[in-house]
Amino acid sequence: MRTLFATVALAALVACSPPAQAPQQDTPAPAPTEIACNSVEPNLSRQVGVEEELAVAAAASDLRGGRIAPGTYDLTQAVRIGSATGWTNTRAVALEVSEAPSGGVTFNWAGAAPDGAIDRWTADFTETPSTSITYTCGRVGAVAAEFSATPDSLEVRLPDGANGRLNLSFARRP
């Protein structure tokens, strides 16, 4: 009788156990998607390195503002002011400037390192109450800015690192 009782108890225990699960296959995680903030293409033949402020004495001068003409601009010079970290090596940069529906200005940036890696961002540029760039894609936050514009050029000074700024000079594409 004990054998019968033990057999029935074992059968009941097996019946209540969850079925054995098949081994799970590792499904690959989806590849990270690159956010394409804009379609601006830098001119890779126009690689620019960052110069030191001492080499370009005019970098610390006041930038007087002006009307920024819509169009695409290529970086022609980059100057480190103070303890700016800047970038290493050279970079080809294109900045597309357009008028935003709100009446402001939109900047679409594309910078290409010599290895072909492209850094893209989009930002709203405003002059009131003070000049600033507010990133809307590719970067986060807002930074104070200074600028000077003519019909064919644009100079923008942005904070870079904890104690420095980058002075970026652009020429408008024909």
Side-chain angles (χ1 to χ4, degrees), residues 67-133:
R67 182 185 178 282
I68 301 174
T72 302
Y73 294 77
D74 290 305
L75 183 67
T76 59
Q77 184 180 45
V79 178
R80 235 184 283 279
I81 301 172
S83 299
T85 54
W87 56 72
T88 57
N89 298 318
T90 61
R91 187 161 301 185
V93 175
L95 181 68
E96 180 187 69
V97 176
S98 60
E99 293 178 354
S102 63
V105 173
T106 299
F107 283 171
N108 285 303
W109 166 287
D115 67 1
I118 297 182
D119 169 39
R120 295 181 189 276
W121 53 260
T122 297
D124 292 330
F125 176 82
T126 56
E127 294 182 65
T128 55
S130 60
T131 306
S132 67
I133 293 175

Side-chain angles (χ1 to χ4, degrees), residues 14 23 29 31 38 46 51 67 70 81 100 102 122 131 134 139 145 162-163:
V14 170
N38 59 62
R46 298 191 76 164
E51 300 174 38
R67 182 185 178 282
I81 301 172
S102 63
T122 297
T131 306
T134 303
R139 293 188 179 177
N163 298 310

